[in-house]
């Protein structure tokens, strides 16, 4: 995998440091191991879902945190007392801790999360503030009132 040096961008552009940081973060993330696997899908015009395969994790072993447009999903396995009395011939189920980070766009909020059948589903939605939503502007016709009567525009 190629690595890119964004230092020249920092020297010649003002205000793009966040964009360069996102690009560097994406490049680092793609080089990490791919565990746990995940899907990102759109479920509506402004709705999204992230699904992580977290088989073997209990709800109390998973944490979700959102801070400054960064969603962090962490899985920490607790000590398994049942494994002490077992002898495994093959141990293929991953029981290692993990941390996955997802950069969220502005105004994207986490609506909820569900754990079922080994999949952690995180529901997201883009909620624009009223000031950013499209609105209708009334158009004036330019007609004037003279002594209580409307005058005709020429």
């Amino acid at each position: 995998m190629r690595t890119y040096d964004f230092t020249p961008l920092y020297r010649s552009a003002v205000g793009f440091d966040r964009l360069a940081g996102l690009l560097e973060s994406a490049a680092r993330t793609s080089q990490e191991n791919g565990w746990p696997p995940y899907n990102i899908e759109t479920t509506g015009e402004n709705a999204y879902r992230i699904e992580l395969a977290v088989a073997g994790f209990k709800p109390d072993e998973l944490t979700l945190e959102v801070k400054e447009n960064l969603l962090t999903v962490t899985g920490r396995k607790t000590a398994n007392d049942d494994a002490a009395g077992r002898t495994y011939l093959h141990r293929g189920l991953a029981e290692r801790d993990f941390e996955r980070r997802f950069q969220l766009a502005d105004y994207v909020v986490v609506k909820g999360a569900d754990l079922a059948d080994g999949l952690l589903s995180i529901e997201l939605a883009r909620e624009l503030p009223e000031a950013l939503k499209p609105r209708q502007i009334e158009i004036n016709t330019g007609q004037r009132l003279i002594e209580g009567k409307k005058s005709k525009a020429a």
Side-chain angles (χ1 to χ4, degrees), residues 83-114:
R86 294 180 169 180
T87 303
Y88 291 96
L89 297 176
H90 172 72
R91 193 157 185 182
L93 294 178
E95 291 186 356
R96 60 183 181 257
D97 296 345
F98 70 89
E99 182 175 277
R100 272 278 185 206
R101 296 175 182 210
F102 300 93
Q103 188 70 41
L104 303 178
D106 291 337
Y107 312 114
V108 173
V109 295
V110 177
K111 291 303 220 175
D114 295 313

Side-chain angles (χ1 to χ4, degrees), residues 18-120:
R18 184 168 185 258
L19 176 62
L22 289 173
L23 291 172
E24 285 178 348
S25 173
R28 265 194 318 271
T29 304
S30 66
Q31 294 174 356
E32 294 175 0
N33 66 2
W35 197 82
Y38 63 92
N39 293 332
I40 300 175
E41 66 177 301
T42 180
T43 58
E45 185 176 342
N46 289 314
Y48 306 92
R49 179 182 302 128
I50 299 173
E51 292 180 323
L52 284 102
V54 293
F57 282 86
K58 298 174 187 163
D60 60 338
E61 298 172 330
L62 298 168
T63 57
L64 277 75
E65 180 180 292
V66 178
K67 183 178 179 184
E68 297 175 3
N69 291 359
L70 183 68
L71 169 64
T72 304
V73 182
T74 308
R76 301 274 181 247
K77 286 301 280 182
T78 57
N80 191 352
D81 296 333
D82 296 340
R86 294 180 169 180
T87 303
Y88 291 96
L89 297 176
H90 172 72
R91 193 157 185 182
L93 294 178
E95 291 186 356
R96 60 183 181 257
D97 296 345
F98 70 89
E99 182 175 277
R100 272 278 185 206
R101 296 175 182 210
F102 300 93
Q103 188 70 41
L104 303 178
D106 291 337
Y107 312 114
V108 173
V109 295
V110 177
K111 291 303 220 175
D114 295 313
L115 180 63
D117 301 326
L119 285 178
L120 176 65

